[in-house]
Amino acid sequence: MQVSGGDLQRLRQLNSLNSIRALREAPGPLTLTELATLTGLSRNSVIDVITDLCERGWIAEVEPASGGMGRPAKRYRFRADAGRVLGLDIGVHKVLAVVTDLAGRTLSSGRVAVDAHTTQRERLQAMWRAVDAALVASGLDASDLWGVAVGSIGVVNREGMVARVKALPDWEGVDLAGHLAQRLSCPTTVENDSKLAALAEQRLGVAAGVRDLVYLHAGRRPGAALILNGRLHHGFSGATGEVGLMEMTGWRTMASHLEDAPAAEGSTPEDAAGRVFTAARAGDPGALAAVDAYAHHLALGTAAMVLTLDPELVVLGGGFSRSADVLLPALRRALEPHCLRVPDIRPSTLGEECVALGAACLALDHVDEHFFSPDGSISRPAAPRRLA
Amino acid sequence: MQVSGGDLQRLRQLNSLNSIRALREAPGPLTLTELATLTGLSRNSVIDVITDLCERGWIAEVEPASGGMGRPAKRYRFRADAGRVLGLDIGVHKVLAVVTDLAGRTLSSGRVAVDAHTTQRERLQAMWRAVDAALVASGLDASDLWGVAVGSIGVVNREGMVARVKALPDWEGVDLAGHLAQRLSCPTTVENDSKLAALAEQRLGVAAGVRDLVYLHAGRRPGAALILNGRLHHGFSGATGEVGLMEMTGWRTMASHLEDAPAAEGSTPEDAAGRVFTAARAGDPGALAAVDAYAHHLALGTAAMVLTLDPELVVLGGGFSRSADVLLPALRRALEPHCLRVPDIRPSTLGEECVALGAACLALDHVDEHFFSPDGSISRPAAPRRLA
């Protein structure tokens, strides 16, 4: 068989790719022998690849464990600190930016409070202040970022524009992708916030490793998102999980069952649901009935998605999921009459950083596609900048 | 860089794989130069790969076009006739087997009539008679088949058993995968019939190239199936597209709007809908109202799936799709109040071979995974048997 220079280049790239992948996915550092077994490469090829990847900063040698007999085998790890991404959450009440490493670990964050009356212009300024704060906190420049993703309320189209948003009329039509491009040179992505919360739970949270799931945003503004075959499902126009638009689900008005319950009397709209869940937890019959009425409607929309998709898992997220101890059993009971098989239902665990973390996960997906896919460019990335 | 024997083997396999893929996907035969451009391989490597693949029967040289100046360049094509798969449709009224080549082209078929009173044992016998007929018609033995897939009515679980079927109580619980294994040594798969109809439309029919679609089986027993990201979506337990189980859609009884219409008077249940569609086509007000009432309910279940998934396309299949000229506009009108964006809706084009062809497509997917994926075994398949 003839082997040309181009063929060798491809072979080397493939070997590098397989070695990096093995090191990234391993629970700990690997020896040369382990890496050869995992990749199917010869020991000599592994040495060749390892030397190159160490030089370029993708991997690092780990200090050998002391105390054993004889000379300990050298061990290597993927350098998650070789690159940085930033995830942003632009919500009604806050803008949150988080900087993570290539393993999705949070290194710093920046947060700016906003509210429903914040104008579009002010919200965009808040976005940049949150970004700057997160960068300052980790000692980075914008040019150090390998990718940025943003979660916004509303339906986000493929061009990165907020195509439709009921809660903040002033935010509709904002060209987030365009605004990001003004100050960032790395790849950027914009996505709906519930979708990113779902992604975060699947990568870092309660749904780790689950391939197909429905994420429920149970809160004052209900929503839903889908992870299918391990990937975020964007849909043709970004409008997935919109079962609440079916009148018959009652999603549009279901929160009023909580807000208008006797137990909520005198509270602000923001506090009402929490009070009712607290009363229900204490056994208050009126509050329990209100929770059941809310769960009945939440279940109608959920059943539409479960019967469509037959997912492995439903994740209960959103503000109301803080009362999952009360809400989740009510939801499960309400789903039973509608479903062939009620999927496992688990409450969200990532709390209010969920959307920003999901944005970081999406940015990492793009890094993966760019550097670590068979069509990627592992052989010619910019050298990782900040060596630890 | 050191290159070991194992590395060379991997490189050769990758080169073979990329060359076969390029030849399979090309609209016509390719020259060496074209193949080198498409695969990024050197000319010498292409010659090496081509020689090997010709010897092993995967590809063939095409007679040069005559009449040009000088010696014409050699051209090569993928041999779709190198392998054969078989697709089976086990329905209430028929069992149909089709044999196709690796491009999904039908080479032969065998058909056995059955009915709702056929016992499980008789239906299984009919299955084998249909298989034998299709094999005889193309001069093959069962051992020539590279893969077999079967579409059955009912919910089919991952073990290839019919887990639930309302229309044929006698068929519930049949272990189709087990029965197939008794006589077939090739890989076999069992799937729900509507799911395979959807797959056929996406590979060979009206939805060719569409990544995300909802398939509606509009007939006396309504159903639905999903293609997501270009692949059949099986779901956690095989029960996708079951929105008809939601009472509020009215799917369980919606066919009665057609069967009980005045225009259907005196007809058998099998003929009733056809008569009503014919009368509606002629402008009969009662028939038009019956079609609208049916479309109203069909739209409720369809809206649940469309709002969940935001698909590019809805395919209208099933027996009633033969009257798509009347039904489709009514369905579109009925969907509009429910959807943010009514997707494109197209009638199925593959007719009643749809399920068997979809089964063949699924069998071909498994052949692809086995032979043509990066983890496959292109370097060590059984040599293609029947050279044309």
Side-chain angles (χ1 to χ4, degrees):
Chain A
M1 178 178 177
Q2 310 224 19
V3 180
S4 70
D7 287 346
L8 274 181
Q9 180 83 9
R10 281 159 48 82
L11 179 60
R12 188 177 197 135
Q13 173 147 345
L14 194 75
N15 290 349
S16 295
L17 195 63
N18 286 333
S19 304
I20 285 203
R21 196 176 291 146
L23 286 163
R24 281 185 87 192
E25 288 169 6
L30 298 176
T31 63
L32 286 177
T33 310
E34 287 165 341
L35 200 51
T37 307
L38 282 170
T39 57
L41 295 173
S42 67
R43 193 175 168 85
N44 280 340
S45 294
V46 168
I47 291 172
D48 208 60
V49 165
I50 284 284
T51 308
D52 175 57
L53 290 175
C54 279
E55 264 168 27
R56 290 198 282 136
W58 285 107
I59 66 172
E61 192 180 334
V62 178
E63 287 300 305
S66 60
M69 298 287 284
R71 198 177 56 157
K74 287 185 178 180
R75 294 179 309 150
Y76 299 88
R77 65 171 175 85
F78 175 70
R79 288 195 45 215
D81 56 348
R84 301 281 187 262
V85 299
L86 185 140
L88 257 170
D89 171 11
I90 308 180
V92 176
H93 298 288
K94 69 163 186 291
V95 179
L96 174 65
V98 301
V99 170
T100 79
D101 66 14
L102 297 184
R105 280 183 297 247
T106 303
L107 304 173
S108 66
S109 64
R111 185 189 167 108
V112 177
V114 288
D115 62 38
H117 307 293
T118 305
T119 64
Q120 183 186 120
R121 184 190 162 86
E122 291 164 344
R123 205 173 297 273
L124 287 167
Q125 288 170 339
M127 174 181 89
W128 287 118
R129 287 205 308 277
V131 169
D132 287 338
L135 289 174
V136 164
S138 52
L140 298 175
D141 296 325
S143 62
D144 293 318
L145 297 172
W146 287 17
V148 170
V150 183
S152 166
I153 43 171
V155 172
V156 174
N157 67 20
R158 289 197 186 275
E159 288 72 43
M161 284 182 60
V162 180
R164 201 175 62 87
V165 54
K166 282 204 173 157
L168 286 179
D170 177 55
W171 194 239
E172 190 161 298
V174 64
D175 175 14
L176 276 174
H179 282 284
L180 294 170
Q182 287 173 14
R183 276 194 46 194
L184 297 171
S185 54
C186 64
T188 63
T189 327
V190 187
E191 188 48 278
N192 164 267
D193 54 0
S194 288
K195 289 190 173 69
L196 294 180
L199 187 65
E201 293 294 350
Q202 197 256 351
R203 297 296 165 82
L204 306 168
V206 73
V210 172
R211 305 288 295 166
D212 294 321
L213 69 94
V214 167
Y215 176 90
L216 295 178
H217 180 92
R220 296 186 61 211
R221 286 172 299 277
L226 315 172
I227 302 283
L228 299 174
N229 207 18
R231 308 278 297 183
L232 190 56
H233 187 65
H234 181 85
F236 189 68
S237 61
T240 57
E242 294 283 358
V243 289
L245 292 172
M246 298 181 85
E247 277 300 320
M248 59 187 177
T249 63
W251 275 30
R252 210 169 46 76
T253 55
M254 66 183 166
S256 65
H257 289 290
L258 300 171
E259 289 166 10
D260 299 345
E265 217 174 279
S267 61
T268 64
E270 283 79 14
D271 299 334
R275 288 236 207 141
V276 175
F277 285 122
T278 302
R281 192 174 291 120
D284 176 272
L288 284 167
V291 171
D292 278 342
Y294 174 81
H296 166 74
H297 289 290
L298 185 61
L300 288 179
T302 306
M305 294 184 284
V306 166
L307 289 168
T308 297
L309 290 166
D310 186 20
E312 181 177 349
L313 178 70
V314 171
V315 174
L316 180 63
F320 296 174
S321 72
R322 285 194 291 271
S323 303
D325 60 320
V326 178
L327 179 55
L328 201 152
L331 174 62
R332 183 174 287 131
R333 278 195 305 278
L335 272 174
E336 252 153 32
H338 301 292
C339 297
L340 273 179
R341 175 188 69 83
V342 176
D344 194 9
I345 312 176
R346 293 181 214 155
S348 152
T349 51
L350 293 175
E352 65 160 10
E353 295 206 340
C354 205
V355 175
L357 289 174
C361 291
L362 189 64
L364 287 172
D365 277 359
H366 287 264
V367 168
D368 274 7
E369 274 165 30
H370 188 62
F371 290 120
F372 302 130
S373 82
D375 302 323
S377 58
I378 181 72
S379 65
R380 44 183 192 283
R385 307 243 319 211
R386 287 159 191 269
L387 303 189
Chain B
M1 179 178 177
Q2 310 224 20
V3 180
S4 71
D7 286 347
L8 274 181
Q9 180 82 10
R10 280 160 49 82
L11 179 60
R12 187 176 198 138
Q13 172 146 346
L14 195 75
N15 291 349
S16 296
L17 194 64
N18 286 333
S19 304
I20 284 204
R21 196 177 290 146
L23 286 163
R24 280 185 88 192
E25 289 169 4
L30 298 176
T31 64
L32 286 176
T33 310
E34 287 164 341
L35 200 52
T37 306
L38 282 169
T39 58
L41 294 173
S42 67
R43 193 174 168 84
N44 280 340
S45 294
V46 168
I47 291 173
D48 208 61
V49 166
I50 285 285
T51 309
D52 175 58
L53 291 175
C54 278
E55 264 169 28
R56 290 198 281 136
W58 285 106
I59 65 172
E61 192 180 335
V62 177
E63 286 300 305
S66 60
M69 296 287 284
R71 197 178 57 156
K74 288 185 178 181
R75 294 181 308 151
Y76 299 88
R77 65 170 175 86
F78 174 70
R79 287 194 47 215
D81 57 348
R84 302 280 188 262
V85 299
L86 185 139
L88 257 169
D89 170 12
I90 308 180
V92 176
H93 298 287
K94 69 164 186 290
V95 179
L96 174 64
V98 301
V99 170
T100 79
D101 66 14
L102 297 183
R105 279 184 297 247
T106 303
L107 303 173
S108 66
S109 65
R111 186 188 168 108
V112 177
V114 288
D115 62 39
H117 306 296
T118 306
T119 64
Q120 182 186 123
R121 183 189 163 86
E122 290 164 344
R123 205 174 297 272
L124 287 167
Q125 289 170 339
M127 173 181 89
W128 288 118
R129 287 206 307 278
V131 169
D132 287 337
L135 288 173
V136 164
S138 51
L140 298 173
D141 297 325
S143 62
D144 293 317
L145 296 173
W146 288 17
V148 170
V150 183
S152 166
I153 43 171
V155 172
V156 175
N157 68 20
R158 289 199 186 275
E159 287 71 45
M161 283 182 60
V162 179
R164 201 175 61 86
V165 54
K166 283 204 172 157
L168 286 179
D170 178 56
W171 193 240
E172 191 159 299
V174 64
D175 175 13
L176 276 174
H179 281 284
L180 293 169
Q182 287 173 14
R183 276 194 46 194
L184 296 170
S185 55
C186 64
T188 63
T189 327
V190 187
E191 189 48 280
N192 164 267
D193 54 0
S194 287
K195 290 190 173 69
L196 294 180
L199 187 64
E201 293 293 351
Q202 197 257 350
R203 298 296 164 81
L204 307 167
V206 73
V210 173
R211 305 288 294 167
D212 294 320
L213 69 95
V214 167
Y215 176 90
L216 296 178
H217 181 92
R220 295 187 62 211
R221 285 173 299 275
L226 315 171
I227 303 283
L228 299 173
N229 207 18
R231 307 279 297 183
L232 190 56
H233 188 65
H234 181 85
F236 189 68
S237 61
T240 57
E242 293 284 357
V243 289
L245 291 172
M246 298 182 85
E247 276 300 320
M248 58 188 177
T249 63
W251 274 30
R252 209 169 46 78
T253 55
M254 66 183 167
S256 65
H257 289 290
L258 299 171
E259 288 166 10
D260 299 344
E265 217 174 279
S267 63
T268 63
E270 283 78 16
D271 299 334
R275 289 238 208 139
V276 175
F277 285 121
T278 303
R281 193 174 290 119
D284 176 273
L288 285 167
V291 171
D292 278 342
Y294 174 80
H296 166 75
H297 289 290
L298 185 61
L300 288 179
T302 306
M305 295 185 283
V306 166
L307 289 169
T308 298
L309 290 165
D310 186 20
E312 182 176 349
L313 178 70
V314 171
V315 175
L316 180 63
F320 297 174
S321 71
R322 285 193 291 271
S323 304
D325 61 320
V326 178
L327 179 55
L328 202 152
L331 174 62
R332 182 173 287 130
R333 278 196 305 276
L335 272 174
E336 253 153 32
H338 301 292
C339 297
L340 273 180
R341 176 188 68 83
V342 176
D344 193 10
I345 313 176
R346 294 181 213 154
S348 152
T349 51
L350 292 175
E352 64 160 9
E353 294 206 341
C354 206
V355 174
L357 288 174
C361 291
L362 189 63
L364 286 172
D365 277 358
H366 287 263
V367 168
D368 274 7
E369 274 164 30
H370 189 62
F371 290 121
F372 303 130
S373 83
D375 302 323
S377 57
I378 181 72
S379 66
R380 44 184 194 285
R385 307 244 319 211
R386 286 161 193 268
L387 304 190

Coordinates of all heavy atoms in Angstrom, one line a residue, chain A residues 187-244:
Chain A
P187 N -16.9 32.1 18.0 CA -18.2 31.7 17.5 C -19.3 32.0 18.7 O -19.0 31.8 19.8 CB -18.1 30.2 17.3 CG -16.6 30.0 17.2 CD -15.9 31.0 18.0
T188 N -20.5 32.5 18.3 CA -21.5 32.7 19.3 C -22.8 32.0 18.8 O -23.0 31.8 17.6 CB -21.8 34.2 19.4 OG1 -22.3 34.7 18.1 CG2 -20.6 35.0 19.8
T189 N -23.6 31.7 19.8 CA -24.9 31.0 19.5 C -26.0 31.6 20.4 O -25.6 32.0 21.6 CB -24.9 29.5 19.8 OG1 -23.6 29.0 19.6 CG2 -25.9 28.8 19.0
V190 N -27.2 31.7 20.0 CA -28.3 32.2 20.8 C -29.4 31.2 20.8 O -29.7 30.5 19.8 CB -28.8 33.6 20.2 CG1 -29.9 34.2 21.2 CG2 -27.7 34.6 20.0
E191 N -30.0 31.0 22.0 CA -31.0 29.9 22.1 C -32.0 30.3 23.2 O -31.7 31.2 24.0 CB -30.3 28.6 22.5 CG -31.1 27.3 22.4 CD -32.0 27.2 21.2 OE1 -33.1 27.8 21.2 OE2 -31.6 26.4 20.3
N192 N -33.1 29.7 23.1 CA -34.2 29.9 24.1 C -33.7 29.5 25.5 O -33.0 28.4 25.6 CB -35.4 29.2 23.7 CG -36.4 29.0 24.8 OD1 -36.4 28.0 25.5 ND2 -37.3 30.0 25.0
D193 N -34.1 30.2 26.6 CA -33.6 29.9 27.9 C -34.0 28.5 28.5 O -33.2 27.8 29.1 CB -33.9 31.0 28.9 CG -35.4 31.4 29.0 OD1 -36.2 30.8 28.2 OD2 -35.7 32.3 29.7
S194 N -35.3 28.1 28.2 CA -35.7 26.8 28.7 C -35.0 25.7 28.1 O -34.6 24.7 28.7 CB -37.2 26.6 28.5 OG -38.0 27.4 29.4
K195 N -34.7 25.9 26.8 CA -33.9 24.8 26.1 C -32.5 24.7 26.7 O -32.0 23.6 26.8 CB -33.8 25.2 24.6 CG -35.1 25.1 23.8 CD -34.8 25.3 22.3 CE -36.0 25.0 21.4 NZ -37.0 26.1 21.6
L196 N -31.9 25.8 27.1 CA -30.6 25.7 27.7 C -30.6 25.1 29.1 O -29.7 24.4 29.5 CB -29.9 27.1 27.7 CG -29.6 27.6 26.2 CD1 -28.9 28.9 26.3 CD2 -28.7 26.6 25.5
A197 N -31.7 25.4 29.8 CA -31.9 24.8 31.1 C -32.0 23.3 31.0 O -31.4 22.5 31.7 CB -33.1 25.3 31.8
A198 N -32.7 22.8 29.9 CA -32.8 21.4 29.7 C -31.4 20.8 29.4 O -31.1 19.7 29.9 CB -33.8 21.1 28.5
L199 N -30.7 21.5 28.6 CA -29.3 21.0 28.2 C -28.4 20.9 29.4 O -27.7 19.9 29.6 CB -28.7 21.9 27.1 CG -27.4 21.5 26.5 CD1 -27.6 20.2 25.7 CD2 -26.8 22.5 25.6
A200 N -28.5 21.9 30.3 CA -27.7 21.9 31.5 C -28.0 20.7 32.3 O -27.1 20.0 32.9 CB -27.9 23.2 32.3
E201 N -29.3 20.4 32.5 CA -29.7 19.2 33.3 C -29.2 17.9 32.7 O -28.8 17.0 33.4 CB -31.2 19.2 33.5 CG -31.8 20.3 34.4 CD -31.3 20.3 35.8 OE1 -30.7 19.3 36.3 OE2 -31.6 21.3 36.5
Q202 N -29.2 17.9 31.4 CA -28.7 16.6 30.7 C -27.2 16.5 30.8 O -26.7 15.4 30.8 CB -29.2 16.7 29.3 CG -29.2 15.3 28.6 CD -28.1 15.1 27.6 OE1 -27.4 16.1 27.3 NE2 -27.9 13.9 27.2
R203 N -26.5 17.6 30.8 CA -25.0 17.5 30.8 C -24.5 17.4 32.2 O -23.5 16.7 32.5 CB -24.4 18.7 30.1 CG -24.8 18.7 28.6 CD -24.2 17.5 27.8 NE -24.9 17.4 26.5 CZ -24.6 18.1 25.5 NH1 -23.5 18.9 25.5 NH2 -25.2 18.0 24.4
L204 N -25.0 18.3 33.1 CA -24.4 18.5 34.4 C -25.4 18.2 35.6 O -24.9 18.2 36.7 CB -24.0 20.0 34.6 CG -23.1 20.5 33.4 CD1 -23.0 22.1 33.5 CD2 -21.7 19.9 33.5
G205 N -26.6 17.9 35.3 CA -27.6 17.9 36.4 C -28.3 16.5 36.6 O -27.7 15.5 36.4
V206 N -29.6 16.6 36.8 CA -30.3 15.4 37.2 C -30.6 14.4 36.1 O -30.9 13.3 36.3 CB -31.7 15.9 37.9 CG1 -32.6 16.4 36.8 CG2 -32.3 14.8 38.7
A207 N -30.4 14.9 34.9 CA -30.7 14.1 33.7 C -29.4 13.6 33.0 O -29.4 13.2 31.9 CB -31.5 14.8 32.7
A208 N -28.3 13.6 33.8 CA -27.0 13.3 33.2 C -27.0 11.9 32.5 O -27.5 10.9 33.1 CB -25.9 13.2 34.3
G209 N -26.7 11.9 31.2 CA -26.6 10.6 30.5 C -27.9 10.2 29.9 O -27.9 9.2 29.1
V210 N -29.0 10.9 30.2 CA -30.3 10.5 29.6 C -30.4 11.0 28.2 O -30.1 12.1 27.9 CB -31.5 11.0 30.4 CG1 -32.8 10.8 29.7 CG2 -31.5 10.4 31.8
R211 N -30.8 10.1 27.2 CA -30.8 10.5 25.8 C -32.0 11.3 25.4 O -31.9 12.3 24.7 CB -30.8 9.2 24.9 CG -29.7 8.3 25.2 CD -28.3 8.8 24.7 NE -28.3 8.9 23.3 CZ -27.3 9.5 22.6 NH1 -26.4 10.1 23.3 NH2 -27.3 9.6 21.3
D212 N -33.2 10.9 25.9 CA -34.5 11.6 25.5 C -35.2 12.1 26.8 O -35.6 11.3 27.6 CB -35.4 10.6 24.8 CG -34.8 10.2 23.4 OD1 -34.2 11.1 22.8 OD2 -34.9 9.0 23.1
L213 N -35.4 13.4 26.8 CA -36.2 13.9 28.0 C -37.0 15.1 27.6 O -36.7 15.8 26.6 CB -35.2 14.3 29.1 CG -34.3 15.5 28.9 CD1 -34.8 16.7 29.5 CD2 -32.9 15.2 29.6
V214 N -38.0 15.3 28.4 CA -38.9 16.5 28.3 C -38.6 17.4 29.5 O -38.6 16.9 30.7 CB -40.4 16.2 28.2 CG1 -41.2 17.4 28.5 CG2 -40.7 15.5 26.9
Y215 N -38.2 18.7 29.3 CA -38.0 19.6 30.5 C -39.2 20.5 30.6 O -39.6 21.1 29.6 CB -36.7 20.4 30.1 CG -36.4 21.4 31.2 CD1 -35.6 21.1 32.3 CD2 -36.9 22.7 31.1 CE1 -35.3 22.1 33.2 CE2 -36.6 23.7 32.0 CZ -35.8 23.4 33.1 OH -35.5 24.3 34.0
L216 N -39.7 20.5 31.8 CA -40.8 21.4 32.1 C -40.3 22.7 32.8 O -39.7 22.5 33.9 CB -41.9 20.7 33.0 CG -42.6 19.5 32.4 CD1 -43.5 19.0 33.4 CD2 -43.3 19.9 31.1
H217 N -40.6 23.8 32.3 CA -40.4 25.0 33.1 C -41.7 25.4 33.8 O -42.6 26.0 33.2 CB -39.9 26.2 32.2 CG -39.7 27.4 33.0 ND1 -38.4 27.8 33.4 CD2 -40.5 28.4 33.4 CE1 -38.5 28.9 34.1 NE2 -39.7 29.3 34.1
A218 N -41.8 25.0 35.1 CA -43.0 25.2 35.9 C -42.8 26.5 36.7 O -42.0 26.5 37.6 CB -43.3 24.0 36.8
G219 N -43.4 27.5 36.2 CA -43.2 28.8 36.9 C -44.3 29.8 36.5 O -45.3 29.3 35.9
R220 N -44.2 31.0 36.7 CA -45.3 31.9 36.4 C -45.5 32.0 34.9 O -46.6 32.2 34.4 CB -45.0 33.3 36.9 CG -45.0 33.3 38.5 CD -44.9 34.7 39.0 NE -46.0 35.5 38.6 CZ -45.9 36.8 38.5 NH1 -44.8 37.5 38.6 NH2 -47.0 37.5 38.1
R221 N -44.4 31.8 34.1 CA -44.6 31.7 32.6 C -44.1 30.3 32.2 O -42.9 30.0 32.1 CB -43.7 32.7 31.9 CG -44.2 34.1 32.0 CD -43.2 35.1 31.4 NE -42.0 35.1 32.2 CZ -41.8 35.7 33.4 NH1 -42.7 36.5 33.8 NH2 -40.7 35.6 34.0
P222 N -45.1 29.4 32.0 CA -44.7 28.0 31.8 C -44.1 27.8 30.4 O -44.3 28.6 29.5 CB -46.1 27.2 31.8 CG -47.1 28.3 31.4 CD -46.6 29.6 31.9
G223 N -43.2 26.8 30.3 CA -42.6 26.5 29.0 C -42.1 25.0 29.1 O -42.2 24.4 30.1
A224 N -41.5 24.6 28.0 CA -41.0 23.3 27.9 C -39.9 23.2 26.9 O -39.8 24.1 26.0 CB -42.1 22.3 27.6
A225 N -39.0 22.2 27.0 CA -37.9 22.0 26.0 C -37.6 20.5 25.9 O -38.0 19.7 26.8 CB -36.7 22.8 26.5
L226 N -37.0 20.1 24.8 CA -36.7 18.7 24.5 C -35.3 18.5 24.3 O -34.6 19.2 23.6 CB -37.5 18.3 23.3 CG -38.9 18.8 23.1 CD1 -39.4 18.5 21.7 CD2 -39.8 18.1 24.2
I227 N -34.8 17.4 24.9 CA -33.5 16.8 24.5 C -33.8 15.5 23.8 O -34.4 14.6 24.4 CB -32.6 16.5 25.7 CG1 -32.4 17.8 26.5 CG2 -31.3 15.9 25.3 CD1 -31.4 18.8 25.9
L228 N -33.4 15.3 22.6 CA -33.7 14.1 21.8 C -32.4 13.5 21.3 O -31.6 14.2 20.7 CB -34.6 14.4 20.6 CG -36.0 15.0 21.1 CD1 -36.8 15.4 19.8 CD2 -36.7 14.0 21.9
N229 N -32.2 12.3 21.6 CA -31.0 11.6 21.2 C -29.7 12.3 21.7 O -28.7 12.4 21.0 CB -30.9 11.5 19.6 CG -30.1 10.3 19.2 OD1 -29.9 9.3 20.0 ND2 -29.7 10.3 17.9
G230 N -29.8 12.8 22.9 CA -28.7 13.5 23.5 C -28.4 14.9 23.1 O -27.5 15.5 23.6
R231 N -29.2 15.4 22.2 CA -29.0 16.8 21.7 C -30.2 17.7 21.9 O -31.3 17.2 21.9 CB -28.7 16.8 20.1 CG -27.6 15.8 19.7 CD -26.2 16.4 19.9 NE -26.0 17.6 19.0 CZ -24.9 18.2 19.0 NH1 -23.8 17.8 19.6 NH2 -24.7 19.3 18.2
L232 N -29.9 18.9 22.1 CA -31.0 19.9 22.2 C -31.8 19.9 20.9 O -31.2 19.9 19.8 CB -30.4 21.3 22.4 CG -31.3 22.4 22.7 CD1 -32.1 22.1 24.0 CD2 -30.4 23.7 22.9
H233 N -33.1 19.8 21.0 CA -34.0 19.8 19.8 C -34.5 21.3 19.5 O -35.3 21.8 20.3 CB -35.1 18.8 19.9 CG -35.9 18.7 18.6 ND1 -35.4 18.2 17.5 CD2 -37.2 19.0 18.3 CE1 -36.3 18.2 16.5 NE2 -37.4 18.7 17.0
H234 N -34.0 21.9 18.5 CA -34.3 23.3 18.2 C -35.6 23.4 17.5 O -36.4 24.4 17.7 CB -33.2 24.0 17.4 CG -33.4 25.4 17.1 ND1 -33.0 26.4 18.0 CD2 -33.9 26.0 16.1 CE1 -33.4 27.6 17.5 NE2 -33.9 27.4 16.3
G235 N -35.9 22.5 16.6 CA -37.1 22.6 15.8 C -36.9 23.4 14.6 O -35.8 24.1 14.4
F236 N -37.9 23.4 13.6 CA -37.7 24.1 12.4 C -37.6 25.6 12.5 O -36.8 26.3 11.9 CB -38.8 23.8 11.4 CG -38.6 24.2 10.0 CD1 -37.6 23.7 9.2 CD2 -39.4 25.2 9.5 CE1 -37.4 24.1 7.9 CE2 -39.2 25.7 8.2 CZ -38.2 25.1 7.4
S237 N -38.3 26.2 13.5 CA -38.3 27.6 13.7 C -38.0 28.0 15.1 O -38.3 29.1 15.5 CB -39.7 28.2 13.2 OG -40.7 27.7 14.0
G238 N -37.5 27.1 15.9 CA -37.2 27.4 17.3 C -38.4 27.2 18.2 O -38.2 27.4 19.4
A239 N -39.5 26.9 17.7 CA -40.8 26.9 18.6 C -41.1 25.5 19.0 O -42.3 25.0 18.8 CB -41.9 27.5 17.8
T240 N -40.2 24.7 19.7 CA -40.6 23.4 20.2 C -41.1 23.6 21.7 O -40.9 24.6 22.3 CB -39.3 22.5 20.3 OG1 -38.3 23.2 21.1 CG2 -38.8 22.3 18.9
G241 N -41.8 22.6 22.1 CA -42.3 22.6 23.5 C -43.4 23.6 23.8 O -43.6 24.0 24.9
E242 N -44.1 24.1 22.7 CA -45.1 25.1 22.8 C -46.5 24.6 23.0 O -47.5 25.2 22.5 CB -45.0 26.0 21.6 CG -43.7 26.8 21.5 CD -43.6 28.0 22.4 OE1 -44.6 28.3 23.1 OE2 -42.6 28.7 22.4
V243 N -46.6 23.4 23.7 CA -47.9 22.8 23.9 C -48.9 23.7 24.7 O -50.1 23.6 24.6 CB -47.8 21.5 24.6 CG1 -47.2 20.4 23.7 CG2 -47.0 21.6 25.9
G244 N -48.3 24.7 25.4 CA -49.1 25.6 26.2 C -50.0 26.5 25.3 O -50.9 27.1 25.8

